[in-house]
Amino acid sequence: MNVKQQDKLATGILYTIAGIIILVLASLLAFILIQGLPHVTWHFLTAPARSFEAGGGIGIQLFNSFYLLVLAMLISVPLSLGAGIYLSEYAKKNWLTSLIRTSIEILSSLPSVVVGLFGFLIFVIQFKFGFSILSGALVLTVFNLPLLTRNVEESLASISSMQREAGLALGLSRWETVMRIIVPEALPGITTGMILGAGRVFGEAAALIYTAGQSAPALDFTNWNPFYIASPLNPMRPAETLAVHIWKINSEGIMPDAVAVSAGASAVLIVAVLLFNLGARWFGQHLYQKMTGTGKKGA
C-alpha cells in the first residue's frame, strides 16, 4: 500500500467516524423532536403544571429556566472575563498561577450533583437563602465559572503576541491593548465558550434539585415587584426549572399524562437551547464586526 492509498484510507476512516457521530446526534434530536413536538401547543407553553390531572403545561418551569439562566450568566460572565484576562495577560508564571489553573481544571470536572450538595450546604443552609432562585443562580455560577474562565484564558492566549506588541508600539497602555485589540480578536472563541456554558446552565437539573427546589408556586405575572412573594422576579422564591420538572414527573409518577408532558418538555428544552445557540453565535459575530470595524459599510 503506497502513501496515496494510506492517505485515502485514513481520510475515509475519519469521514466514517464523523458521519457516525453526526448520525447518532441527528437521530437523537429527531427522536426527541418527533416524540415531543406534537404535544407542544400555546396552552402547553403557558399553562401551569398539574399534579394529579392531565392537561397541564410548563409555563412556570419555562420562565424559571430562562430567569435562572439570565441571573447565572449575569454573575458568571463578568467574573470569568476578569479572571480569564488576568490569568492570560497579567498573571506571572509561578507556582501560585499553576496551582490556580490546576484548581480550575479540577473544579470544571466536578459532577453537578457534588456542586449541588455544596450549594445546599453553603447557600441554602449556611447563608440561609433557602430553596430559592438566588441559591440556584449562585450554585450554577460555581458550576459554570471554571469552564468559562478556562475558555476565556485559552481564547486570549490563542491571539498572536505580535498584536500585543503592535498595540504597545502605537502608544496604547497594556489595558487598552487588551480591551481594544486582544479581546475583540478573541471574541468568537469567548462567545462559543459562553454558549456552551449557557447550554449547561439551561439544561442542568442535579445541581438545582438541592438549591432551587422542586416546587413551582403560582406566580402573579401582573406584579413584577421583586420583593413581592408571588412576583416572577422574586429571587428568594423556590423555582422548579424545566430540566428538574422532566426528572420529577418521570420519577414521581403522579401525573396521568407524564409521558406526553415529558416528551413535550424535552422537545422545548432542545429547541430553546438550539435557538439560544444560534442567536448567541449571530450576536457574537455581529459584536466582533462592530468592535473590529470589519462589518459591511454602506455606500
Side-chain angles (χ1 to χ4, degrees), residues 145-180:
L145 191 58
L147 180 66
L148 297 185
T149 301
R150 189 63 175 162
N151 168 74
V152 173
E153 182 187 2
E154 291 178 349
S155 298
L156 295 175
S158 66
I159 305 303
S160 173
S161 59
M162 290 176 24
Q163 300 206 36
R164 296 174 176 84
E165 296 171 359
L168 296 174
L170 290 173
L172 297 177
S173 66
R174 193 171 186 178
W175 174 252
E176 289 174 329
T177 301
V178 170
M179 296 306 297
R180 297 184 180 183

Side-chain angles (χ1 to χ4, degrees), residues 58-258:
I58 57 170
I60 296 177
Q61 287 79 9
L62 188 60
F63 176 83
N64 290 339
S65 296
F66 280 108
Y67 189 29
L68 261 171
L69 170 65
V70 171
L71 287 183
M73 297 305 288
L74 282 177
I75 299 172
S76 58
V77 168
L79 292 177
S80 62
L81 282 174
I85 291 174
Y86 171 77
L87 289 173
S88 175
E89 305 297 326
Y90 293 93
K92 297 180 180 180
K93 294 182 179 180
N94 52 32
W95 67 270
L96 181 59
T97 304
S98 299
L99 179 63
I100 293 174
R101 289 195 174 98
T102 303
S103 301
I104 290 174
E105 293 288 346
I106 294 173
L107 289 174
S108 64
S109 62
L110 285 178
S112 59
V113 65
V114 175
V115 180
L117 289 172
F118 168 81
F120 173 74
L121 294 174
I122 301 299
F123 303 127
V124 176
I125 296 179
Q126 189 67 31
F127 290 171
K128 301 185 185 303
F129 292 153
F131 291 104
S132 63
I133 290 178
L134 180 59
S135 297
L138 291 174
V139 79
L140 287 178
T141 300
V142 174
F143 176 66
N144 216 22
L145 191 58
L147 180 66
L148 297 185
T149 301
R150 189 63 175 162
N151 168 74
V152 173
E153 182 187 2
E154 291 178 349
S155 298
L156 295 175
S158 66
I159 305 303
S160 173
S161 59
M162 290 176 24
Q163 300 206 36
R164 296 174 176 84
E165 296 171 359
L168 296 174
L170 290 173
L172 297 177
S173 66
R174 193 171 186 178
W175 174 252
E176 289 174 329
T177 301
V178 170
M179 296 306 297
R180 297 184 180 183
I181 299 176
I182 307 303
V183 171
E185 189 69 22
L187 196 59
I190 294 175
T191 304
T192 301
M194 298 301 173
I195 293 170
L196 296 175
R200 294 180 76 195
V201 168
F202 194 81
E204 180 55 40
L208 295 177
I209 292 174
Y210 300 103
T211 52
Q214 304 177 43
S215 61
L219 301 179
D220 183 6
F221 285 93
T222 62
N223 190 334
W224 295 90
N225 181 1
F227 299 101
Y228 178 55
I229 189 172
S231 170
L233 298 182
N234 186 351
M236 303 308 297
R237 64 177 177 84
E240 179 187 57
T241 61
L242 195 58
V244 174
H245 185 60
I246 295 171
W247 169 82
K248 182 180 177 182
I249 61 179
N250 282 282
S251 59
E252 291 183 344
I254 60 175
M255 189 177 294
D257 55 347

Side-chain angles (χ1 to χ4, degrees), residues 245-286:
H245 185 60
I246 295 171
W247 169 82
K248 182 180 177 182
I249 61 179
N250 282 282
S251 59
E252 291 183 344
I254 60 175
M255 189 177 294
D257 55 347
V259 175
V261 173
S262 177
S266 300
V268 171
L269 188 64
I270 292 293
V271 171
V273 171
L274 290 175
L275 290 177
F276 180 80
N277 287 358
L278 294 174
R281 288 180 183 275
W282 173 86
F283 177 76
Q285 190 63 31
H286 174 74

